[in-house]
Amino acid sequence: MISVVCPGSYDPVTNGHLDIIERCSRLFDEVVVSVLINKSKKGLFSIEERMEMISEVCEHLPNVRVDSWHGLLVDYCRANGIPAIAKGLRAVSDFDYELQMSQMNQRLSGVETLFISTNPEYSFLSSSLVKEIATYHGDVSHLVPRSIGRRLTARVDELA
Ligand code: PNS
């Protein structure tokens, strides 16, 4: 069985993430969506909430499971016997840093990184922009699944 990990902050999961996860689920036996914990970044949603939201929107994908990790991604891969990391590339601006990380991860552990070109429909999309738009009550209905949009609105109202 060949597994791949889709790592990220997922604060929150967007349609762009979901597109990459769905495409990976057609290529691999198992897709592990892992929420990487970055203690220095205060998120809008807790790690548990992010995992719950990913599980919700991936309910239709039986070979996808959700997990979290605090530490190096390659250590997660090693601990779970996962040979590959999948990353979506939105634009050339993503490439420099992603290439550097993939080469470092390869050198550290032998784990390979596979880049998937983002659907052009989502090439401008990021969780940070979605959060900013939601904060000012902009329309995020075409950027995130409906249930995530509802949670975003609720969280922004709670914090207002
Ligand atoms: O959604 P993001 O914030 O763009 O995801 C970036 C993430 C979490 C995948 C990346 O920062 C990462 O892999 N962090 C784990 C720590 C790690 O392994 N760092 C060394 C990279 S060479």
mmCIF file with all atom_site columns, all heavy atoms in Angstrom, residues 7 15 26 78 93 107 123 133 136 154:
data_model
loop_
_atom_site.group_PDB
_atom_site.id
_atom_site.type_symbol
_atom_site.label_atom_id
_atom_site.label_alt_id
_atom_site.label_comp_id
_atom_site.label_asym_id
_atom_site.label_entity_id
_atom_site.label_seq_id
_atom_site.pdbx_PDB_ins_code
_atom_site.Cartn_x
_atom_site.Cartn_y
_atom_site.Cartn_z
_atom_site.occupancy
_atom_site.B_iso_or_equiv
_atom_site.pdbx_formal_charge
_atom_site.auth_seq_id
_atom_site.auth_comp_id
_atom_site.auth_asym_id
_atom_site.auth_atom_id
_atom_site.pdbx_PDB_model_num
ATOM 1  N N   . PRO A 1 7   ? 0.728   17.733 3.782   1.00 0.00 ? 7   PRO A N   1
ATOM 2  C CA  . PRO A 1 7   ? 0.920   18.506 5.026   1.00 0.00 ? 7   PRO A CA  1
ATOM 3  C C   . PRO A 1 7   ? 0.492   19.957 4.842   1.00 0.00 ? 7   PRO A C   1
ATOM 4  O O   . PRO A 1 7   ? 0.471   20.468 3.729   1.00 0.00 ? 7   PRO A O   1
ATOM 5  C CB  . PRO A 1 7   ? 2.431   18.427 5.216   1.00 0.00 ? 7   PRO A CB  1
ATOM 6  C CG  . PRO A 1 7   ? 2.969   18.418 3.815   1.00 0.00 ? 7   PRO A CG  1
ATOM 7  C CD  . PRO A 1 7   ? 1.942   17.755 2.935   1.00 0.00 ? 7   PRO A CD  1
ATOM 8  N N   . ASN A 1 15  ? -10.886 25.330 -0.857  1.00 0.00 ? 15  ASN A N   1
ATOM 9  C CA  . ASN A 1 15  ? -11.186 24.533 -2.057  1.00 0.00 ? 15  ASN A CA  1
ATOM 10 C C   . ASN A 1 15  ? -9.908  24.114 -2.778  1.00 0.00 ? 15  ASN A C   1
ATOM 11 O O   . ASN A 1 15  ? -9.862  23.073 -3.423  1.00 0.00 ? 15  ASN A O   1
ATOM 12 C CB  . ASN A 1 15  ? -12.049 25.344 -3.021  1.00 0.00 ? 15  ASN A CB  1
ATOM 13 C CG  . ASN A 1 15  ? -13.477 25.468 -2.529  1.00 0.00 ? 15  ASN A CG  1
ATOM 14 O OD1 . ASN A 1 15  ? -13.910 24.703 -1.668  1.00 0.00 ? 15  ASN A OD1 1
ATOM 15 N ND2 . ASN A 1 15  ? -14.215 26.427 -3.064  1.00 0.00 ? 15  ASN A ND2 1
ATOM 16 N N   . ARG A 1 26  ? -6.973  9.849  -5.833  1.00 0.00 ? 26  ARG A N   1
ATOM 17 C CA  . ARG A 1 26  ? -7.134  9.012  -7.030  1.00 0.00 ? 26  ARG A CA  1
ATOM 18 C C   . ARG A 1 26  ? -5.817  8.361  -7.444  1.00 0.00 ? 26  ARG A C   1
ATOM 19 O O   . ARG A 1 26  ? -5.799  7.426  -8.239  1.00 0.00 ? 26  ARG A O   1
ATOM 20 C CB  . ARG A 1 26  ? -7.692  9.855  -8.189  1.00 0.00 ? 26  ARG A CB  1
ATOM 21 C CG  . ARG A 1 26  ? -9.114  10.364 -7.926  1.00 0.00 ? 26  ARG A CG  1
ATOM 22 C CD  . ARG A 1 26  ? -9.785  10.828 -9.206  1.00 0.00 ? 26  ARG A CD  1
ATOM 23 N NE  . ARG A 1 26  ? -9.300  12.129 -9.648  1.00 0.00 ? 26  ARG A NE  1
ATOM 24 C CZ  . ARG A 1 26  ? -9.836  13.310 -9.254  1.00 0.00 ? 26  ARG A CZ  1
ATOM 25 N NH1 . ARG A 1 26  ? -10.868 13.326 -8.447  1.00 0.00 ? 26  ARG A NH1 1
ATOM 26 N NH2 . ARG A 1 26  ? -9.354  14.443 -9.706  1.00 0.00 ? 26  ARG A NH2 1
ATOM 27 N N   . ARG A 1 78  ? 8.661   9.206  8.511   1.00 0.00 ? 78  ARG A N   1
ATOM 28 C CA  . ARG A 1 78  ? 9.406   8.027  8.971   1.00 0.00 ? 78  ARG A CA  1
ATOM 29 C C   . ARG A 1 78  ? 8.587   7.234  9.981   1.00 0.00 ? 78  ARG A C   1
ATOM 30 O O   . ARG A 1 78  ? 8.472   6.018  9.881   1.00 0.00 ? 78  ARG A O   1
ATOM 31 C CB  . ARG A 1 78  ? 10.729  8.439  9.601   1.00 0.00 ? 78  ARG A CB  1
ATOM 32 C CG  . ARG A 1 78  ? 11.894  8.310  8.628   1.00 0.00 ? 78  ARG A CG  1
ATOM 33 C CD  . ARG A 1 78  ? 13.213  8.341  9.363   1.00 0.00 ? 78  ARG A CD  1
ATOM 34 N NE  . ARG A 1 78  ? 13.469  9.672  9.915   1.00 0.00 ? 78  ARG A NE  1
ATOM 35 C CZ  . ARG A 1 78  ? 14.503  10.431 9.570   1.00 0.00 ? 78  ARG A CZ  1
ATOM 36 N NH1 . ARG A 1 78  ? 15.382  9.988  8.694   1.00 0.00 ? 78  ARG A NH1 1
ATOM 37 N NH2 . ARG A 1 78  ? 14.699  11.607 10.108  1.00 0.00 ? 78  ARG A NH2 1
ATOM 38 N N   . SER A 1 93  ? 6.009   31.788 -7.701  1.00 0.00 ? 93  SER A N   1
ATOM 39 C CA  . SER A 1 93  ? 6.412   32.335 -6.393  1.00 0.00 ? 93  SER A CA  1
ATOM 40 C C   . SER A 1 93  ? 6.439   31.254 -5.310  1.00 0.00 ? 93  SER A C   1
ATOM 41 O O   . SER A 1 93  ? 7.175   31.360 -4.336  1.00 0.00 ? 93  SER A O   1
ATOM 42 C CB  . SER A 1 93  ? 5.481   33.472 -5.990  1.00 0.00 ? 93  SER A CB  1
ATOM 43 O OG  . SER A 1 93  ? 4.147   33.054 -6.130  1.00 0.00 ? 93  SER A OG  1
ATOM 44 N N   . ARG A 1 107 ? 17.192  15.142 1.519   1.00 0.00 ? 107 ARG A N   1
ATOM 45 C CA  . ARG A 1 107 ? 18.516  14.940 2.086   1.00 0.00 ? 107 ARG A CA  1
ATOM 46 C C   . ARG A 1 107 ? 18.425  14.405 3.521   1.00 0.00 ? 107 ARG A C   1
ATOM 47 O O   . ARG A 1 107 ? 19.181  13.542 3.946   1.00 0.00 ? 107 ARG A O   1
ATOM 48 C CB  . ARG A 1 107 ? 19.294  16.260 2.052   1.00 0.00 ? 107 ARG A CB  1
ATOM 49 C CG  . ARG A 1 107 ? 20.660  16.219 2.699   1.00 0.00 ? 107 ARG A CG  1
ATOM 50 C CD  . ARG A 1 107 ? 21.581  15.182 2.053   1.00 0.00 ? 107 ARG A CD  1
ATOM 51 N NE  . ARG A 1 107 ? 21.913  15.510 0.677   1.00 0.00 ? 107 ARG A NE  1
ATOM 52 C CZ  . ARG A 1 107 ? 22.942  16.245 0.283   1.00 0.00 ? 107 ARG A CZ  1
ATOM 53 N NH1 . ARG A 1 107 ? 23.756  16.750 1.169   1.00 0.00 ? 107 ARG A NH1 1
ATOM 54 N NH2 . ARG A 1 107 ? 23.164  16.471 -0.987  1.00 0.00 ? 107 ARG A NH2 1
ATOM 55 N N   . SER A 1 123 ? -5.581  29.252 -8.238  1.00 0.00 ? 123 SER A N   1
ATOM 56 C CA  . SER A 1 123 ? -4.157  29.609 -8.159  1.00 0.00 ? 123 SER A CA  1
ATOM 57 C C   . SER A 1 123 ? -3.920  30.850 -7.286  1.00 0.00 ? 123 SER A C   1
ATOM 58 O O   . SER A 1 123 ? -2.801  31.106 -6.862  1.00 0.00 ? 123 SER A O   1
ATOM 59 C CB  . SER A 1 123 ? -3.574  29.818 -9.552  1.00 0.00 ? 123 SER A CB  1
ATOM 60 O OG  . SER A 1 123 ? -4.279  30.831 -10.182 1.00 0.00 ? 123 SER A OG  1
ATOM 61 N N   . ILE A 1 133 ? -10.576 38.069 4.052   1.00 0.00 ? 133 ILE A N   1
ATOM 62 C CA  . ILE A 1 133 ? -11.853 38.406 3.403   1.00 0.00 ? 133 ILE A CA  1
ATOM 63 C C   . ILE A 1 133 ? -13.007 38.164 4.380   1.00 0.00 ? 133 ILE A C   1
ATOM 64 O O   . ILE A 1 133 ? -13.905 39.002 4.531   1.00 0.00 ? 133 ILE A O   1
ATOM 65 C CB  . ILE A 1 133 ? -12.014 37.586 2.098   1.00 0.00 ? 133 ILE A CB  1
ATOM 66 C CG1 . ILE A 1 133 ? -10.954 38.020 1.083   1.00 0.00 ? 133 ILE A CG1 1
ATOM 67 C CG2 . ILE A 1 133 ? -13.418 37.758 1.504   1.00 0.00 ? 133 ILE A CG2 1
ATOM 68 C CD1 . ILE A 1 133 ? -10.721 37.043 -0.036  1.00 0.00 ? 133 ILE A CD1 1
ATOM 69 N N   . TYR A 1 136 ? -13.598 40.817 7.079   1.00 0.00 ? 136 TYR A N   1
ATOM 70 C CA  . TYR A 1 136 ? -14.327 42.020 6.662   1.00 0.00 ? 136 TYR A CA  1
ATOM 71 C C   . TYR A 1 136 ? -15.657 41.670 6.002   1.00 0.00 ? 136 TYR A C   1
ATOM 72 O O   . TYR A 1 136 ? -16.190 42.439 5.209   1.00 0.00 ? 136 TYR A O   1
ATOM 73 C CB  . TYR A 1 136 ? -13.424 42.876 5.755   1.00 0.00 ? 136 TYR A CB  1
ATOM 74 C CG  . TYR A 1 136 ? -12.196 43.366 6.494   1.00 0.00 ? 136 TYR A CG  1
ATOM 75 C CD1 . TYR A 1 136 ? -10.933 42.837 6.222   1.00 0.00 ? 136 TYR A CD1 1
ATOM 76 C CD2 . TYR A 1 136 ? -12.312 44.322 7.501   1.00 0.00 ? 136 TYR A CD2 1
ATOM 77 C CE1 . TYR A 1 136 ? -9.810  43.257 6.920   1.00 0.00 ? 136 TYR A CE1 1
ATOM 78 C CE2 . TYR A 1 136 ? -11.192 44.751 8.203   1.00 0.00 ? 136 TYR A CE2 1
ATOM 79 C CZ  . TYR A 1 136 ? -9.952  44.212 7.912   1.00 0.00 ? 136 TYR A CZ  1
ATOM 80 O OH  . TYR A 1 136 ? -8.854  44.630 8.615   1.00 0.00 ? 136 TYR A OH  1
ATOM 81 N N   . ALA A 1 154 ? -18.852 32.389 11.781  1.00 0.00 ? 154 ALA A N   1
ATOM 82 C CA  . ALA A 1 154 ? -19.133 32.281 13.213  1.00 0.00 ? 154 ALA A CA  1
ATOM 83 C C   . ALA A 1 154 ? -17.918 32.709 14.039  1.00 0.00 ? 154 ALA A C   1
ATOM 84 O O   . ALA A 1 154 ? -18.051 33.454 15.020  1.00 0.00 ? 154 ALA A O   1
ATOM 85 C CB  . ALA A 1 154 ? -19.536 30.848 13.546  1.00 0.00 ? 154 ALA A CB  1
#
